[in-house]
Amino acid sequence: RLSVLLPTYNERDNLPLVVWMLVRTFRDSGIDFEIIIIDDGSPDGTQEVAEQLEKLYGSDKILLRPRARKLGLGTAYIHGMKHATGNFILIMDADLSHHPKFIPEFIRKQKEGNFDIVSGTRYKGNGGVYGWDLKRKLISRGANFLTQVLLRPGASDLTGSFRLYRKEVLQKLMEKCVSKGYVFQMEMIVRARQLGYTIGEVPISFVDRVYGESKLGGNEIVSFLKGLLTLFATT
Amino acid sequence: LRPSLIPLFSPQATMTKLGQWLCGLALLGSAWAALALAPPGLQPPAPLRQALLPLPIYLLVAFGCYSLATVGYRLATFNDCEEAAAELQEHIRAARADLRRQGLRL
C-alpha cells in the first residue's frame, strides 16, 4: 500500500489537478493508495479545495492533516508519516512539476531490485526538464557535478524530491537529517548510503512552470554550497 | 554485509569524505615530495624528476579540463521535455473538465 505525502502551501489551483491525476494513475494501475495532504495554513484557500477533494474521493483515500503555519518540508514529512498506513511512502511536489504517471514505474523498479529507496532522476536516461533556460541548466549541471565529485553519492540526482521510500527507511532517515531546502534532499540520499540502504533510479521529466516567477537567487546558491560543504565535512 | 558490520571491516566507510580527501592528498603529496624534492644523494634519475616536479599542476589543469568538458557535455545533452509539457497541458484540461463535472468549485 502506498501513502503519498503532499505538503502544500498556496496550491489552490494545482492541488485538485495533482490529486485527480494521482487517483487516475492509481485506479488505472490497481495500486492501493492513500493521499495525505499536509497544508501549512495556506491563505489562498488550499484547505477548502482539499476538503472538497476529501468529500469527492472519500476520507479513507484523502487524508487531511493540516498545520497552522509554514513549518518546513522536513517536519511536514514527519507529521504526514505519523498518519500514514501504507508500507511505502511517496514524496513529490504538489505543483505539477512531478507527474504521477511515473509512480507505477517507481513501484516496478522497487520490486525489480527490492530497493529501499527509488529516486526520480532528471539527469539520466530520458529524464529531463522543461522550462529551464541555459543558465539554469548550467547551474544545475554544475552543482550536480560538484556534488558528485565531493560526495560520490551513488545517485545521479541528489536534489530531486520525487522519491519512493520504504516507510521504516524514511522514518529512520528523518531522525538523522538536519538540513533544509535542497540540501535536505541531498542529505537523505547521503545518509541512506551511510546506513547501507539500496537506491534505485527512474528517469523522470520535471516540468517547471514557475521558473519565470521564482528565480534561483544568489542566496540559494550560497546556502546550497554551504550545505554541500557541511555534508562533505561531516559524512 | 549488514550495515552495522561495515565499520569493523572497512574504516573507509566511517571516514568523512573530507577525511578521505585529506588522506589521499597526504599520501600522494608525500610520495611526490619524497621523489621530487629529495636531497641530492637520493634523487631519482633526471628525466623522472623533470616529469614529476610539475605533475601536481598538470593534474590540476587536467582535472579542470575534465570538469569543463563533462559539465559542458551534460549541459548540451540535458533533455528538454517538450512532449511532457504538452501532455501535462492535456491532462490539466481533462482534469479540470472532469472535476467540474463532479461538482468541484475550481
Side-chain angles (χ1 to χ4, degrees), chain B residues 39-73:
Chain B
L42 299 168
Q43 277 168 3
L48 185 62
R49 262 197 313 125
Q50 266 171 10
L52 271 183
L53 226 43
L55 196 59
I57 305 291
Y58 282 170
L59 289 178
L60 214 60
V61 171
F63 177 70
C65 291
Y66 165 77
S67 306
L68 284 177
T70 306
V71 174
Y73 172 74

Side-chain angles (χ1 to χ4, degrees), chain A residues 212-230:
Chain A
E213 302 145 31
S214 64
K215 303 210 188 320
L216 192 65
N219 269 339
E220 285 186 297
I221 295 182
V222 166
S223 66
F224 168 81
L225 287 174
K226 285 208 310 225
L228 176 58
L229 289 176
T230 307

Side-chain angles (χ1 to χ4, degrees), chain A residues 12-219:
Chain A
R12 194 201 190 301
D13 294 328
N14 291 326
L15 183 59
L17 305 176
V18 163
V19 171
W20 184 87
M21 291 183 205
L22 282 167
V23 173
R24 190 166 89 148
T25 303
F26 293 138
R27 284 185 181 160
D28 284 350
S29 43
I31 296 171
D32 185 19
F33 73 100
E34 63 183 2
I35 301 173
I36 304 175
I37 302 175
I38 305 129
D39 184 51
D40 281 358
S42 301
D44 72 342
T46 302
Q47 185 61 6
E48 275 172 43
V49 166
E51 280 162 13
Q52 288 187 59
L53 290 165
E54 184 190 30
K55 265 205 283 283
L56 178 58
Y57 292 115
S59 55
D60 57 325
K61 292 298 180 202
I62 311 287
L63 277 62
L64 266 45
R65 297 290 178 265
R67 300 189 299 178
R69 343 179 291 272
K70 204 161 196 282
L71 289 171
L73 205 55
T75 48
Y77 291 156
I78 297 177
H79 182 76
M81 266 199 292
K82 288 206 200 85
H83 308 282
T85 62
N87 48 345
F88 285 96
I89 310 270
L90 186 104
I91 64 165
M92 60 185 286
D93 290 350
D95 61 356
L96 294 176
S97 52
H98 294 146
H99 198 305
K101 69 175 182 180
F102 291 106
I103 300 180
E105 278 178 55
F106 278 60
I107 296 181
R108 207 181 28 86
K109 185 76 188 182
Q110 191 282 324
K111 289 203 176 97
E112 181 187 296
N114 198 26
F115 294 111
D116 298 309
I117 304 174
V118 178
S119 175
T121 173
R122 296 159 292 174
Y123 299 132
K124 257 169 66 175
N126 54 4
V129 177
Y130 175 84
W132 280 2
D133 60 8
L134 205 64
K135 178 172 163 216
R136 180 70 181 87
K137 284 186 194 175
L138 178 61
I139 295 176
S140 182
R141 283 296 199 180
N144 183 258
F145 178 79
L146 195 57
T147 309
Q148 296 292 331
V149 167
L150 288 181
L151 299 182
R152 301 193 317 274
S156 62
D157 190 344
L158 284 221
T159 52
S161 50
F162 196 4
R163 295 184 188 152
L164 178 70
Y165 292 86
R166 271 194 225 278
K167 189 169 169 197
E168 331 74 80
V169 171
L170 186 57
Q171 277 168 336
K172 188 72 198 273
L173 288 175
M174 294 301 319
E175 282 168 32
K176 294 195 156 263
C177 291
V178 294
S179 354
K180 306 241 180 310
Y182 289 119
V183 186
F184 168 64
Q185 302 293 355
M186 278 167 43
E187 193 185 355
M188 300 261 261
I189 297 283
V190 171
R191 298 250 176 244
R193 290 262 297 165
Q194 263 188 334
L195 295 168
Y197 294 129
T198 53
I199 304 173
E201 294 192 298
V202 168
I204 56 152
S205 24
F206 181 91
V207 178
D208 197 338
R209 298 152 76 220
V210 300
Y211 174 52
E213 302 145 31
S214 64
K215 303 210 188 320
L216 192 65
N219 269 339

Side-chain angles (χ1 to χ4, degrees), chain A residues 16 20 52 56 96 99 101 123 125-130 137-138 141 145 150-152 195 205 232-233 235, chain B residues 3 16-18 20-21 67 71 74-75 78-81 84-85 87-88 91-92 95 98-99 102 104-106:
Chain A
W20 184 87
Q52 288 187 59
L56 178 58
L96 294 176
H99 198 305
K101 69 175 182 180
Y123 299 132
N126 54 4
V129 177
Y130 175 84
K137 284 186 194 175
L138 178 61
R141 283 296 199 180
F145 178 79
L150 288 181
L151 299 182
R152 301 193 317 274
L195 295 168
S205 24
F232 178 62
T235 61
Chain B
T16 65
K17 290 291 180 294
L18 179 59
Q20 289 172 13
W21 275 68
S67 306
V71 174
R74 289 177 180 171
L75 179 61
F78 208 162
N79 288 330
D80 258 323
C81 306
E87 185 189 48
L88 181 63
H91 288 176
I92 290 178
D98 194 42
L99 286 170
Q102 300 194 59
L104 230 79
R105 280 171 291 114
L106 289 171

